[in-house]
Amino acid sequence: MSLLEVNKLSVSFHTRNGVQQAVKNLDFRVDSGEILGIVGESGSGKSVSCYSLLGLIPCPPGRIDSGCGLFKGQDLLAMSEAELRAVRGNQIAMIFQDPMTSLNPFLRVGEQLIEPLVYHRGHTRAEATERAQELLDEVGIRDPKRSFFSYPHEFSGGMRQRVMIASALIAEPELLIADEPTTALDVTVQAQILQLISELQNRRNLAVVFISHDLAVVKDLADRVVVMKQGECVESGPGKAMFAQPQHPYTQDLYAATPQGAKAVESSCSEDILLEVNELRTVFPGNGGAAQPPLVAVDDASFVVYRGEILGLVGESGSGKSTLGRSILNLVQSQSGSVRFEGSEIRGLPANEMRPLRKQLQMIFQDPYASLNPRMTIYDCLAEPLLFHKVASAANVQQQVLTLMDEVGLDRRFVRKYPHEFSGGQRQRIAIARALASEPEFIVADEPVSALDVTIQKQILELLLNLVERRNLTMLFISHDLAVVRYLCDRVLVMQHGKLLESGATESVWQSPAHPYTQKLLASAVTL
Amino acid sequence: MNEPALMAEQGTSLWTDAWLRLRNNRLAVASLIVLLLLVFVCLITPWIAPYGYEEQNLELGATPPSAEHWLGTDVYGRDMLTRVLYGGRVSLMVGFIATSVALLIGVLWGAVAGYVGGRTDAWMMRLVDILYALPFIIFIILLMVVFGRSILLLFLAIGAVEWLTMARIVRGQVLGIRRQEYIEAAVAMGLPTWTILRRHVIPNTLGPVIVYATLTIPQVMLLEAFLSFLGLGIQPPQSSWGLLISYGAETMEEFPWLLVFPGLALAITLFALNFLGDGLRDALDPKASKD
């Protein structure tokens, strides 16, 4: 008998916009000592299916329509809330995506770890403390005795996720449900956490349900995989076999959409220097206290951008890559150095002198939900730069807006709609159209695809490649995702702690990374 | 204009969405209707009022409600219905105009302070703090003494007190909005600060502002009643609800109708405004509008 066996599970949400089927007739099972990967894009019902088993979805609006979830022969869905509480956190533990918000910032880490042992199991504090310190050691936290008395903010994101794993394991569960546990983490940290989960599963004969949107992450980790789309399981089977030969068209799509390999076609770049950055330095002043000293976000960065190329800027979170991009465009004030655009200095220009240059220099932002004004229709949003930079006149602005929409692949019928009526991918197309409206030469794209699902990401990447070629654009592409950068960029810069460590043609950096950090970064990346 | 635009689907703006939501709130809709009715009746008062508001009939004196005088008459024999209607004109006018003054100054002040930030923000908000610290009664008495007494000045004086809270609310909103990427996108586009404020910042603050405005109107009306009670506001023979209530209170035991009817009128208006404000807060809540 399997540890957990889910049969014909259907869950729906009843909202004022009608009934939405979140999960339809889902079957899966997990055995002891096995890792089951559940893969799907956002809204595919992968989290809802697990949450509903543990009674963690709000009902109403949620409703479990049918099915059963047998955990060691007992139906979880038939249990009362009190019975469920005994299972939840004891026999079935969970870890979540965001380790920053799942710990109470006012309590010492150790206090949070021993809480269930002391208050629910009646252990003495001394016993519980010893147990917790052993666990902290097991999940790879250095100096567990000291860490036990630390507060959550004293840990980095990866360390917090380790603490979360320790707190999930403290009650010795038999099943661990991990909901996107590495999505918020940097690649090097992600590699360590995946390693840890795999070790724990081996050592403790733990069953793991690993929910992820990323095929590449699941591929190496999971024994068996379930692929979900719009609430249904489209394919399931042993991991290795499925990745060798995906059967269902949707799995094949997912597979094909995950960026892999080198850039197919070289951009038509020249030796002509469009932008030259010299010893650019950006410092954020602290608050004067010891707790917040001044932060050197960009530390004497120097590089050139050739006309017509896509230059990748790779780094982990906090490396200063976004600040570098914004400093170039004068959106963040830099302290020293020079930025020359087409030969003339633009660093620190006052707003009125910068204004004509804004037409040439544009930016695409990461979060398509935050980068569009919610009170403006697409028409207003695109007409604004067209009219402001006098690219269009009042007479032909409508035509120009529609042309722009065609160019980024948006249906003309949507011209009067508002941002909240679009999906993430469509919004990102609007944001791209807005950046293109002033007919710029140079675009800084700050993580433009990292908030998107993999199939949408693929479409947006294709669109960007296409536009760069057609309009002869030059782009600085900022990303933490190595596979995307390799797929898109001609040359690449690697950044860490505000410093540029390495630069070169993408493939040569990939084949023979010179700097140890680059080597580590590339080794941590999971690939298909 | 052009062919293709005619085929375009009309989008649902957040305002339309809020309206659809408000429409489902029966209490709010009923309140809105009551308010509109009140405003309408008060607007056409000079044409429908059965008597003049100064028309005295000393022989009649105070009489309870009757067929000739639906709401009775006061000690000078003046028709109460007429006086309540005329009083409503003044009270509602104070409410709406003073709130508009507060809205205009408060939104602009708060938006500029919040958006520009830094030293400008510090100076602008310190001024607000200083004005807050002044006892407003003294402030209004000062204004009255310097400029003489007039209804217009009363509007301005009350508005000048009420905009302070509005400015703080708007500034708080703007501090959040300023960090949004669409503002950065507007800066990257090269738009001048004023255009960014007008097109991108202020429209996004209006949700909470509208809610607060509906709650300011009753506050202002009560303030006027209070000032009139002290003899700083409207002067007889003109009247406002506040003034009628204060006279009614003096003769409450002998002639209760002199207190009940203007009190009822004020209470209904305040109830309606509060319910409407509540409904608007739910309807404009951005958290609820996502799904």
Side-chain angles (χ1 to χ4, degrees):
Chain A
M1 191 178 67
S2 302
L3 184 66
L4 175 68
E5 197 168 333
V6 175
N7 281 319
K8 301 257 171 288
L9 178 69
S10 292
V11 183
S12 56
F13 286 96
H14 299 253
T15 63
R16 79 188 170 100
N17 296 326
V19 180
Q20 204 185 2
Q21 277 272 317
V23 181
K24 292 173 213 156
N25 275 331
L26 181 71
D27 299 319
F28 68 81
R29 61 182 174 80
V30 198
D31 294 321
S32 295
E34 179 184 63
I35 299 187
L36 173 76
I38 302 186
V39 188
E41 297 188 295
S42 53
S44 62
K46 55 191 191 300
S47 298
V48 172
S49 55
C50 291
Y51 285 32
S52 61
L53 287 176
L54 294 178
L56 289 177
I57 55 166
C59 299
R63 195 162 78 194
I64 294 162
D65 297 319
S66 68
C68 63
L70 297 176
F71 179 71
K72 296 203 287 190
Q74 279 183 300
D75 189 358
L76 291 169
L77 297 177
M79 283 185 188
S80 69
E81 180 57 34
E83 289 171 309
L84 256 184
R85 217 175 293 140
V87 172
R88 213 161 46 201
N90 286 322
Q91 290 164 297
I92 304 180
M94 290 196 73
I95 49 178
F96 301 94
Q97 176 172 345
D98 193 353
M100 303 292 168
T101 54
S102 4
L103 288 167
N104 181 344
F106 287 102
L107 279 181
R108 291 176 199 277
V109 159
E111 203 56 42
Q112 303 186 48
L113 280 176
I114 63 171
E115 195 179 10
L117 291 186
V118 175
Y119 296 101
H120 302 303
R121 299 268 177 102
H123 290 243
T124 64
R125 285 192 77 85
E127 276 171 13
T129 304
E130 193 183 332
R131 177 86 196 91
Q133 288 177 350
E134 276 170 29
L135 257 174
L136 285 174
D137 190 39
E138 185 177 350
V139 296
I141 287 186
R142 267 163 306 202
D143 198 355
K145 288 209 168 56
R146 236 194 82 222
S147 305
F148 185 86
F149 295 104
S150 305
Y151 285 96
H153 71 261
E154 297 174 61
F155 292 95
S156 65
M159 285 296 145
R160 278 185 230 198
Q161 196 58 292
R162 283 173 195 266
V163 172
M164 283 311 297
I165 293 174
S167 83
L169 294 181
I170 198 140
E172 311 259 336
E174 289 166 71
L175 175 65
L176 178 69
I177 296 177
D179 187 7
E180 306 257 13
T182 60
T183 308
L185 304 176
D186 285 323
V187 263
T188 51
V189 184
Q190 164 170 294
Q192 294 160 12
I193 297 289
L194 292 178
Q195 173 76 27
L196 173 67
I197 291 178
S198 170
E199 274 172 24
L200 289 171
Q201 171 250 341
N202 268 326
R203 201 181 316 144
R204 293 168 165 256
N205 199 28
L206 192 66
V208 180
V209 175
F210 191 97
I211 301 171
S212 180
H213 69 285
D214 191 341
L215 275 183
V217 168
V218 173
K219 180 193 168 213
D220 291 325
L221 193 71
D223 301 302
R224 281 184 313 107
V225 177
V226 169
V227 181
M228 287 185 73
K229 182 195 183 189
Q230 289 168 7
E232 282 175 294
C233 166
V234 294
E235 186 167 358
S236 68
K240 296 278 175 310
M242 190 157 95
F243 284 106
Q245 260 189 331
Q247 297 298 319
H248 192 277
Y250 179 69
T251 318
Q252 291 165 359
D253 283 351
L254 271 185
Y255 207 87
T258 309
Q260 45 194 312
K263 186 170 181 174
V265 195
E266 293 278 305
S267 291
S268 49
C269 26
S270 53
E271 292 296 289
D272 186 9
I273 292 175
L274 181 72
L275 187 88
E276 191 176 356
V277 178
N278 243 317
E279 307 207 330
L280 186 66
R281 189 176 177 84
T282 303
V283 183
F284 292 122
N287 60 4
Q292 221 190 75
L295 174 77
V296 184
V298 179
D299 193 356
D300 294 337
S302 305
F303 61 95
V304 293
V305 186
Y306 297 106
R307 194 183 289 278
E309 75 171 344
I310 303 181
L311 176 64
L313 177 57
V314 179
E316 297 188 301
S317 56
S319 62
K321 55 191 193 303
S322 287
T323 310
L324 176 54
R326 284 169 163 81
S327 301
I328 293 172
L329 297 188
N330 264 340
L331 290 173
V332 166
Q333 214 173 2
S334 47
Q335 268 61 40
S336 63
S338 88
V339 178
R340 301 178 82 81
F341 177 70
E342 295 190 309
S344 55
E345 178 64 45
I346 61 169
R347 193 189 77 81
L349 283 187
N352 57 336
E353 288 175 47
M354 194 65 203
R355 203 156 287 145
L357 283 161
R358 295 271 180 223
K359 183 179 179 314
Q360 311 290 329
L361 305 163
Q362 274 300 317
M363 179 140 186
I364 300 170
F365 296 89
Q366 170 173 2
D367 184 358
Y369 289 86
S371 66
L372 299 170
N373 184 343
R375 307 248 176 233
M376 281 163 80
T377 61
I378 304 191
Y379 180 85
D380 293 330
C381 177
L382 297 182
E384 186 171 50
L386 284 170
L387 291 170
F388 182 75
H389 289 292
K390 307 210 167 44
V391 177
S393 61
N396 69 356
V397 63
Q398 186 159 21
Q399 199 48 50
Q400 294 267 50
V401 166
L402 295 175
T403 316
L404 266 176
M405 288 180 72
D406 291 343
E407 194 171 354
V408 297
L410 280 168
D411 197 321
R412 286 178 165 212
R413 282 179 302 143
F414 298 150
V415 69
R416 299 276 170 205
K417 290 202 174 253
Y418 290 84
H420 65 101
E421 301 175 90
F422 291 95
S423 67
Q426 285 172 315
R427 287 183 201 214
Q428 200 56 293
R429 284 175 196 268
I430 302 171
I432 291 171
R434 179 181 58 190
L436 291 176
S438 65
E439 301 182 342
E441 299 247 353
F442 178 68
I443 291 185
V444 174
D446 187 5
E447 304 259 15
V449 295
S450 43
L452 304 175
D453 276 327
V454 58
T455 48
I456 309 295
Q457 169 178 313
K458 169 88 169 177
Q459 294 164 8
I460 298 291
L461 289 177
E462 293 301 326
L463 174 68
L464 287 176
L465 272 175
N466 220 316
L467 289 169
V468 165
E469 191 60 30
R470 187 150 21 112
R471 290 193 166 219
N472 197 25
L473 288 170
T474 309
M475 186 180 285
L476 178 67
F477 186 89
I478 301 171
S479 181
H480 71 283
D481 189 332
L482 297 163
V484 167
V485 168
R486 188 180 185 198
Y487 180 77
L488 197 73
C489 301
D490 304 291
R491 287 192 313 127
V492 65
L493 304 168
V494 182
M495 198 167 181
Q496 188 197 21
H497 302 325
K499 285 195 166 65
L500 289 178
L501 302 179
E502 186 166 357
S503 71
T506 310
E507 274 317 292
S508 71
V509 171
W510 248 257
Q511 300 309 336
S512 49
H515 196 279
Y517 175 72
T518 317
Q519 291 164 5
K520 184 176 156 209
L521 203 61
L522 291 174
S524 314
V526 283
T527 48
L528 277 179
Chain B
M1 288 186 270
N2 290 5
E3 232 9 64
L6 293 176
M7 292 162 28
E9 292 171 15
Q10 200 62 37
T12 327
S13 76
L14 292 178
W15 297 120
T16 323
D17 192 57
W19 167 239
L20 292 176
R21 218 191 299 266
L22 186 69
R23 230 173 38 181
N24 287 335
N25 185 339
R26 281 199 199 146
L27 203 54
V29 174
S31 301
L32 188 64
I33 293 171
V34 167
L35 280 175
L36 289 177
L37 221 67
L38 265 170
V39 170
F40 177 71
V41 169
C42 286
L43 275 179
I44 60 168
T45 297
W47 294 277
I48 59 161
Y51 302 88
Y53 67 92
E54 294 170 284
E55 222 177 288
Q56 299 187 356
N57 188 346
L58 291 172
E59 287 163 32
L60 193 61
T63 55
S66 63
E68 288 95 69
H69 301 281
W70 290 357
L71 303 186
T73 56
D74 69 3
V75 285
Y76 301 109
R78 292 179 292 199
D79 180 53
M80 274 309 281
L81 178 62
T82 312
R83 290 190 60 79
V84 168
L85 286 175
Y86 273 103
R89 274 166 77 84
V90 174
S91 283
L92 289 174
M93 211 151 62
V94 172
F96 287 103
I97 296 183
T99 302
S100 306
V101 171
L103 208 64
L104 193 73
I105 309 179
V107 168
L108 286 178
W109 195 272
V112 170
Y115 185 73
V116 176
R119 197 161 289 182
T120 319
D121 179 31
W123 281 111
M124 289 175 84
M125 291 327 279
R126 284 311 72 74
L127 185 73
V128 169
D129 292 343
I130 291 169
L131 289 179
Y132 249 124
L134 283 181
F136 81 99
I137 289 290
I138 295 180
F139 176 65
I140 289 174
I141 293 175
L142 268 177
L143 278 178
M144 299 280 174
V145 169
V146 175
F147 296 103
R149 222 177 248 167
S150 75
I151 290 196
L152 198 69
L153 194 68
L154 186 72
F155 295 158
L156 287 178
I158 295 176
V161 172
E162 290 293 328
W163 71 268
L164 300 171
T165 314
M166 190 71 84
R168 282 193 171 170
I169 289 175
V170 172
R171 175 176 172 271
Q173 286 283 313
V174 171
L175 286 182
I177 290 170
R178 187 172 68 157
R179 288 181 220 292
Q180 298 278 317
E181 283 181 346
Y182 61 83
I183 300 299
E184 214 176 353
V187 176
M189 205 184 284
L191 296 180
T193 307
W194 173 240
T195 314
I196 295 177
L197 272 174
R198 191 169 48 85
R199 285 179 60 94
H200 296 276
V201 177
I202 292 179
N204 282 294
T205 63
L206 288 189
V209 165
I210 288 177
V211 174
Y212 185 69
T214 58
L215 301 177
T216 304
I217 297 174
Q219 258 177 12
V220 168
M221 288 168 71
L222 288 173
L223 195 57
E224 179 272 328
F226 176 55
L227 289 173
S228 298
F229 187 81
L230 291 182
L232 290 170
I234 310 296
Q235 290 307 303
Q238 280 200 329
S239 70
S240 72
W241 287 342
L243 209 57
L244 289 175
I245 290 172
S246 81
Y247 287 140
E250 288 168 16
T251 54
M252 189 169 68
E253 282 167 11
E254 296 161 83
F255 318 120
W257 60 93
L258 295 187
L259 175 65
V260 168
F261 294 115
L264 212 58
L266 185 65
I268 289 173
T269 313
L270 300 193
F271 264 122
L273 280 166
N274 275 312
F275 286 137
L276 183 63
D278 248 13
L280 280 171
R281 181 169 49 214
D282 292 344
L284 290 166
D285 186 0
K287 271 170 233 135
S289 70
K290 285 275 159 58
D291 298 291

